[in-house]
Amino acid sequence: FADGVVQRPEMKDYSETKVALSAAATVTCDLSTGNVFTLTPDQNTEFAFTNPSPTGKSCAFTLIWTQDGSDRTITWPTSVDWPGGAEPTVTSGSGKIDVYTFFTLDAGTIWYGFQAGADMLTPS
């Protein structure tokens, strides 16, 4: 569709591209590669978000964080606005899963961030 407008579509069996991120001190969620990101860190991690939709368009993604054998911390971009102004607590414990969602309306100047799930069960 190359940024074309599709009006009134009916979608069935919809999916989004999942990207497995590589653990590093700084990890980038590049929205040109997908809309669902997974990471099992091996160190404390600082995130960066790149390539959102332009101003006036909504852009959203999901991040699934799975703790490794040590309790890792997250440093979020300063552009993230959390409910009540407070970052959520990362769940501690090996294999613990937290799910975060983000969206922007202004090309990433402000990202609205939410912890959609904390201490989620590992899928079987």
Side-chain angles (χ1 to χ4, degrees):
F1 291 103
D3 293 330
V5 174
V6 178
Q7 292 181 310
R8 299 183 60 177
E10 179 179 334
M11 308 287 281
K12 183 176 179 181
D13 195 19
Y14 165 79
S15 66
E16 293 181 290
T17 300
K18 181 182 85 164
V19 177
L21 299 168
S22 298
T26 301
V27 174
T28 300
C29 296
D30 180 351
L31 276 72
S32 70
T33 63
N35 298 89
V36 177
F37 298 93
T38 61
L39 178 67
T40 301
D42 63 4
Q43 58 194 293
N44 295 336
T45 303
E46 180 175 354
F47 280 99
F49 307 154
T50 61
N51 294 314
S53 299
T55 296
K57 305 288 183 182
S58 178
C59 181
F61 71 96
T62 301
L63 172 65
I64 301 165
W65 169 277
T66 304
Q67 285 281 20
D68 70 348
S70 300
D71 289 337
R72 309 299 181 176
T73 62
I74 299 174
T75 301
W76 299 107
T78 58
S79 57
V80 177
D81 185 10
W82 298 100
E87 294 179 5
T89 301
V90 179
T91 303
S92 65
S94 181
K96 298 294 184 167
I97 297 171
D98 290 338
V99 178
Y100 302 92
T101 60
F102 302 89
F103 77 93
T104 185
L105 300 172
D106 57 11
T109 299
I110 298 171
W111 286 97
Y112 297 100
F114 304 89
Q115 187 175 45
D119 196 7
M120 306 294 289
L121 296 175
T122 304
S124 49

